[in-house]
């Protein structure tokens, strides 16, 4: 794909810089084009499509965010007559003066998958869950419980209606739900001093003090999100169920963790076939308050942006064996830092026993390791430290074939694509400023 298709006017703040966006419908092509606000402009464009025999299946508009005298139009087309479409795009650009951006077509080997550029764009996929949510599989413990199913729909509705920037709605949990939480909380807390890593044990008392972590109380996501933002800039947003690996990892690039609010069925308090609030709050949250682990998690997310599908699978596997089921060294001992371990009473004991196979964290090997989802892991990977894991991840990310690098700007909460001299100069200026602060500080502490 040539450069003029891949870039949008070279503007680093354009909403979508790269072109290919996955679609659930085969044979559908999506375009965005901008027109000056004048009488008959849109009619002229639509007439062009009609004359070439190309059907529009969807159209929507909004005022342009870049030019006040223009409107942007998003359209879906049937992709049956591609040669004619190429002529139309050329005509729109040359004859009508429209700015046209092609978002999707049949994939070519050099296309770059769409990824969010601003934190607000997480709203675009947050509800595209793959399973569970309000619907449960037949083997789910709560499948035949109408009260539980209705309750799950309440949680799903909260997630579906949530948008970035809003406070996360508070939930009044039932006595049965608090009892289930209490059982899990009590059993796991008894193991943490001997089985969990230092970082988890360091943060957990702070969560008890500031976020309402108690055996008789299920903490609120909004309170935890505010706490995490003061620690590492991480935040939570509610989600109804499982996201795709690409979408979930993209959230981490913005230091956003998609968290469920529902709790497992009361009939099996020590088992859940899906992530629930016990897994999220007891397993994940404490480590997101640690700066080094937060940076490691974000770098997995940044590495995923624009990555080919096969590398998304590899990154998701790395995430599985680190963030979910990772072990780390502490002196001569092994400790658990993976959320799947720290939220499972049985596996937390099993992973540190003599039964499973223990391997050093070598990402080239870890990234292709097969793993079971519904049983204890037969093999675990050990990180020397979070710092060591970050360095290995950075080297692994360099092997991902994409024509750019990315960085997260915490001030604008945007992803900056580093693919031109202007962007690199801006980055150099930022680094130079930070180095000046570092040098000044070093002189003062001599």
């Amino acid at each position: 794909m040539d450069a003029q298709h891949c870039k949008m006017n070279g503007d680093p703040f354009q909403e979508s810089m790269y072109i290919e966006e996955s679609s659930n419908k085969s044979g559908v092509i999506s375009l965005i084009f901008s027109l000056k606000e004048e009488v008959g402009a849109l009619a002229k464009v639509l007439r062009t499509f009609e004359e070439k025999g190309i059907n529009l299946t969807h159209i929507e508009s909004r005022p342009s965010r870049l030019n006040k005298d223009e409107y942007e139009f998003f359209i879906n087309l049937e992709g049956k007559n591609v040669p004619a479409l190429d002529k139309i795009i050329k005509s729109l650009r040359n004859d009508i003066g429209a700015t046209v951006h092609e978002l999707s077509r049949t994939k070519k080997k050099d296309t770059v998958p769409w990824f969010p550029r601003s934190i607000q764009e997480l709203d675009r996929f947050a509800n595209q869950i793959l399973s569970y949510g309000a619907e449960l599989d037949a083997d789910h413990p709560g499948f035949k419980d109408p009260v539980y199913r209705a309750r799950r729909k309440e949680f799903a509705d909260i997630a579906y209606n949530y948008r970035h920037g809003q406070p996360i709605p508070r939930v009044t949990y039932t006595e049965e739900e608090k009892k289930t939480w209490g059982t899990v909380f009590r059993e796991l807390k008894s193991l943490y001093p001997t089985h969990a890593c230092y970082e988890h044990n360091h943060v957990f008392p702070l969560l008890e003090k500031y976020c309402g972590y108690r055996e008789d109380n299920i903490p609120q996501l909004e309170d935890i999100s505010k706490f995490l933002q003061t620690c590492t800039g991480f935040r939570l947003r509610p989600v109804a169920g499982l996201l795709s690996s690409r979408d979930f990892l993209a959230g981490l690039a913005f230091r956003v963790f998609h968290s469920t609010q529902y709790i497992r069925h009361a009939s099996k308090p020590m088992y859940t076939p899906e992530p629930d609030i016990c897994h999220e709050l007891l397993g994940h949250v404490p480590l997101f308050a640690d700066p080094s682990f937060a940076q490691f998690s974000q770098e997995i997310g940044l590495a995923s942006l624009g990555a080919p599908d096969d590398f998304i699978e590899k990154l998701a596997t790395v995430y599985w064996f680190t963030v979910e089921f990772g072990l780390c060294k502490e002196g001569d001992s092994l400790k658990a830092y993976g959320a799947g371990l720290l939220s499972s009473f049985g596996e937390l004991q099993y992973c540190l026993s003599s039964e499973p196979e223990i391997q050093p964290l070598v990402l080239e090997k870890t990234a292709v390791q097969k793993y079971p989802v519904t049983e204890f892991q037969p093999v675990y990977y050990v990180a020397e430290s979070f710092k060591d894991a970050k360095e290995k991840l950075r080297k692994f990310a360099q092997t991902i074939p994409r024509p750019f690098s990315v960085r997260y700007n915490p001030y604008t909460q945007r992803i900056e694509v580093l693919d031109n001299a202007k962007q690199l100069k801006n980055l150099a200026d930022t680094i130079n400023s930070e180095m000046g602060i570092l040098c000044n500080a070093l002189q003062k502490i001599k």
Side-chain angles (χ1 to χ4, degrees):
M1 195 67 67
D2 61 31
Q4 68 175 354
H5 283 176
C6 287
K7 293 184 181 178
M8 291 179 157
N9 303 327
D11 187 337
F13 295 101
Q14 187 75 28
E15 283 302 303
S16 299
M17 190 166 187
Y18 287 89
I19 61 172
E20 195 274 319
E21 181 171 6
S22 60
S23 174
N24 293 326
K25 299 178 181 179
S26 59
V28 174
I29 297 173
S30 300
L31 299 177
I32 289 179
F33 61 90
S34 302
L35 291 174
K36 288 187 177 181
E37 187 177 4
E38 54 188 37
V39 177
L42 179 59
K44 189 184 299 184
V45 171
L46 298 179
R47 193 177 307 117
T48 303
F49 286 109
E50 183 180 4
E51 291 172 352
K52 298 296 184 181
I54 294 180
N55 295 325
L56 277 67
T57 59
H58 177 81
I59 183 170
E60 58 185 82
S61 65
R62 70 179 183 190
S64 173
R65 298 179 183 180
L66 298 178
N67 299 305
K68 294 182 179 180
D69 61 343
E70 291 187 355
Y71 265 76
E72 294 176 351
F73 297 88
F74 173 83
I75 59 175
N76 285 338
L77 314 166
E78 291 182 358
K80 297 178 180 178
N81 192 352
V82 174
L85 179 61
D86 290 334
K87 294 180 180 178
I88 287 177
I89 292 176
K90 185 177 181 180
S91 175
L92 291 176
R93 287 175 172 152
N94 298 337
D95 301 335
I96 299 178
T99 303
V100 185
H101 315 303
E102 183 178 345
L103 293 180
S104 67
R105 190 188 291 218
T106 302
K107 287 188 178 182
K108 298 182 180 180
K109 64 180 181 180
D110 58 346
T111 58
V112 177
W114 177 88
F115 58 87
R117 295 287 302 282
S118 68
I119 197 169
Q120 290 82 2
E121 288 186 327
L122 299 184
D123 290 342
R124 293 182 59 175
F125 59 72
N127 291 330
Q128 296 176 10
I129 60 173
L130 302 180
S131 60
Y132 297 112
E135 300 299 323
L136 304 179
D137 289 345
D139 59 351
H140 192 286
F143 179 74
K144 295 182 179 180
D145 184 343
V147 175
Y148 182 79
R149 292 172 66 94
R151 184 66 165 154
R152 286 292 294 266
K153 185 180 185 304
E154 292 178 26
F155 288 108
D157 288 343
I158 290 174
Y160 287 142
N161 292 316
Y162 180 81
R163 296 295 179 269
H164 171 73
Q166 298 174 345
I168 302 173
R170 295 181 177 272
V171 174
T172 301
Y173 288 97
T174 66
E175 289 303 314
E176 182 178 66
E177 289 169 338
K178 287 189 284 188
K179 182 179 179 181
T180 300
W181 163 271
T183 299
V184 178
F185 183 92
R186 181 174 60 255
E187 296 296 331
L188 286 171
K189 187 179 177 182
S190 69
L191 291 179
Y192 288 156
T194 53
H195 290 66
C197 65
Y198 166 82
E199 290 79 3
H200 186 279
N201 285 328
H202 175 70
V203 171
F204 202 83
L206 300 177
L207 293 168
E208 292 179 304
K209 182 177 182 180
Y210 296 110
C211 298
Y213 273 54
R214 299 194 310 271
E215 185 177 327
D216 62 348
N217 178 67
I218 303 177
Q220 298 291 332
L221 295 193
E222 178 66 12
D223 295 337
I224 299 167
S225 188
K226 289 180 178 178
F227 172 80
L228 290 178
Q229 288 177 58
T230 64
C231 295
T232 62
F234 249 92
R235 68 184 68 208
L236 306 180
R237 76 170 284 160
V239 69
L242 296 173
L243 292 170
S244 71
S245 295
R246 184 181 293 280
D247 291 345
F248 179 80
L249 294 177
L252 295 180
F254 294 86
R255 298 204 172 203
V256 172
F257 179 73
H258 289 82
S259 173
T260 57
Q261 281 183 293
Y262 55 78
I263 196 165
R264 61 196 66 185
H265 194 259
S267 64
K268 293 186 176 182
M270 302 309 291
Y271 167 78
T272 176
E274 60 189 322
D276 74 332
I277 198 165
C278 296
H279 172 76
E280 320 285 37
L281 302 195
L282 298 175
H284 281 293
V285 163
L287 271 298
F288 284 134
D290 177 76
S292 187
F293 182 84
Q295 182 65 34
F296 173 72
S297 301
Q298 183 180 31
E299 294 205 14
I300 294 180
L302 289 169
S304 77
L305 300 180
D309 291 343
D310 57 333
F311 274 84
I312 290 294
E313 183 177 354
K314 292 178 180 179
L315 287 169
T317 303
V318 168
Y319 179 91
W320 180 268
F321 283 112
T322 55
V323 180
E324 288 291 351
F325 291 96
L327 300 178
C328 62
K329 289 185 178 180
E330 282 188 9
D332 297 329
S333 302
L334 294 182
K335 301 292 183 179
Y337 71 89
L341 302 175
L342 294 167
S343 60
S344 170
F345 183 78
E347 193 161 5
L348 184 53
Q349 297 175 84
Y350 165 82
C351 72
L352 298 180
S353 71
S354 59
E355 294 185 51
E357 179 183 353
I358 305 297
Q359 294 285 341
L361 184 64
V362 179
L363 295 192
E364 291 75 14
K365 179 180 178 181
T366 307
V368 295
Q369 174 70 47
K370 301 299 181 183
Y371 56 86
V373 177
T374 58
E375 58 190 61
F376 291 173
Q377 302 301 304
V379 59
Y380 299 96
Y381 289 91
V382 180
E384 295 290 329
S385 65
F386 293 148
K387 180 180 179 181
D388 176 66
K390 279 189 294 184
E391 291 303 318
K392 289 178 177 177
L393 179 64
R394 287 168 182 165
K395 291 180 180 178
F396 182 76
Q398 291 174 1
T399 67
I400 298 175
R402 58 183 183 183
F404 53 85
S405 295
V406 297
R407 71 181 290 266
Y408 177 63
N409 187 325
Y411 304 110
T412 62
Q413 297 182 320
R414 298 183 64 91
I415 298 297
E416 295 178 354
V417 176
L418 306 176
D419 65 345
N420 59 65
K422 181 179 179 182
Q423 289 286 66
L424 296 181
K425 183 181 182 302
N426 290 341
L427 176 58
D429 290 342
T430 300
I431 294 174
N432 185 54
S433 176
E434 294 294 321
M435 287 298 296
I437 295 173
L438 175 62
C439 293
N440 185 46
L442 287 172
Q443 291 175 356
K444 291 184 177 182
I445 64 175
K446 285 182 179 180

